[in-house]
Amino acid sequence: MKYSKLVQLSLAIAAIVLSIACTPSKNANTGVANTNMAMPEPTPDKAAIVAEITRIENDWPRVVKERDGAAVRRIEADDIFLISLNGAVGSKEQDVKDIEAGNVTFDSWDISELSVKVLDPDAAVATLLMTVKNGKNKLEDGRAEDISGYYRALDTFARRSGQWQIVASTVVKLTPEAVAALTPNAKATPQASATPIMKPSPKPSPTRRPPLPPTNQ
């Protein structure tokens, strides 16, 4: 009789152990069942990402015109890499200073040929064409530098804490040959007169948008 009860008890314990072994384990911190399978990467909402970055890029003329330094602080990363047309390395702090001071002015500033490539849910690259008419940049010595013309820009974006920010940016002024090859739509805005020969400025401003023309030695 005791032997029979011992067998029944052993069978019951075995059933409990087997039941526990067959139950998916849960992570102690998250409570999520561990299925020993790698979780797939989330699929980025490319349309939403493209729409947001397009909005940011198209807003730059307004930011400059209205001297919206708060927008620059929000959109540019603190550790941003900025390379201006003349090769100078800029900074977020200088960008904010130049824009709030109204150092850059223009009659028109159009953005076209904007293309956004989504790399993953938190990274993207944007390229665009900027057409600046009667653009001026105020130098430290008080002179106004002509920055009219066509520019290509390349911006690298990263999403940090839910906010898309520019982490790297560079611009290149188009040569006359490159301008001639532009599509009719890109050249819809009347082209500004050629930039006059400038004397080297005492200390070129690294303002990101639009960049300074190269100085002639």
Side-chain angles (χ1 to χ4, degrees):
M1 187 71 176
K2 291 182 179 180
Y3 178 77
S4 176
K5 290 183 178 180
L6 182 60
V7 171
Q8 292 178 1
L9 180 59
S10 298
L11 291 174
I13 294 174
I16 294 173
V17 172
L18 183 61
S19 174
I20 294 175
C22 293
T23 301
S25 62
K26 292 188 176 181
N27 184 286
N29 296 323
T30 65
V32 177
N34 180 10
T35 61
N36 295 322
M37 296 178 63
M39 297 296 293
E41 289 292 329
T43 302
D45 186 346
K46 291 186 177 181
I49 294 174
V50 170
E52 175 62 12
I53 292 178
T54 298
R55 183 195 66 78
I56 292 173
E57 293 288 16
N58 283 325
D59 195 41
W60 272 106
R62 180 203 65 79
V63 170
V64 177
K65 192 177 186 66
E66 297 181 6
R67 306 184 184 186
D68 192 351
V72 181
R73 293 186 183 92
R74 182 175 64 255
I75 295 169
E76 290 187 1
D78 292 340
D79 56 350
I80 188 173
F81 285 103
L82 291 174
I83 306 297
S84 65
L85 182 62
N86 61 6
V89 178
S91 68
K92 177 178 181 177
E93 179 182 0
Q94 186 64 49
D95 246 8
V96 172
K97 179 180 178 181
D98 288 339
I99 289 176
E100 290 184 337
N103 289 339
V104 178
T105 60
F106 53 88
D107 285 349
S108 65
W109 177 358
D110 296 328
I111 292 176
S112 59
E113 298 187 9
L114 176 58
S115 177
V116 180
K117 182 178 181 180
V118 179
L119 304 179
D120 62 42
D122 299 309
V125 176
T127 61
L128 59 142
L129 174 68
M130 297 184 298
T131 306
V132 181
K133 183 179 180 182
N134 196 24
K136 303 293 181 181
N137 181 69
K138 185 178 180 180
L139 302 176
E140 290 188 353
D141 63 358
R143 291 184 299 118
E145 192 170 21
D146 188 352
I147 54 172
S148 303
Y150 292 89
Y151 299 86
R152 290 284 184 191
L154 175 65
D155 292 333
T156 301
F157 286 81
R159 177 155 48 188
R160 296 175 173 178
S161 301
Q163 169 70 43
W164 283 100
Q165 292 186 312
I166 301 173
V167 296
S169 178
T170 187
V171 289
V172 176
K173 188 171 185 178
L174 272 61
T175 63
E177 293 77 13
V179 172
L182 292 175
T183 62
N185 288 338
K187 294 190 292 186
T189 300
Q191 184 175 357
S193 58
T195 301
I197 297 176
M198 303 297 298
K199 295 180 180 179
S201 58
K203 186 178 180 182
S205 169
T207 300
R208 187 178 82 91
R209 304 286 192 162
L212 300 180
T215 56
N216 294 289
Q217 303 298 327

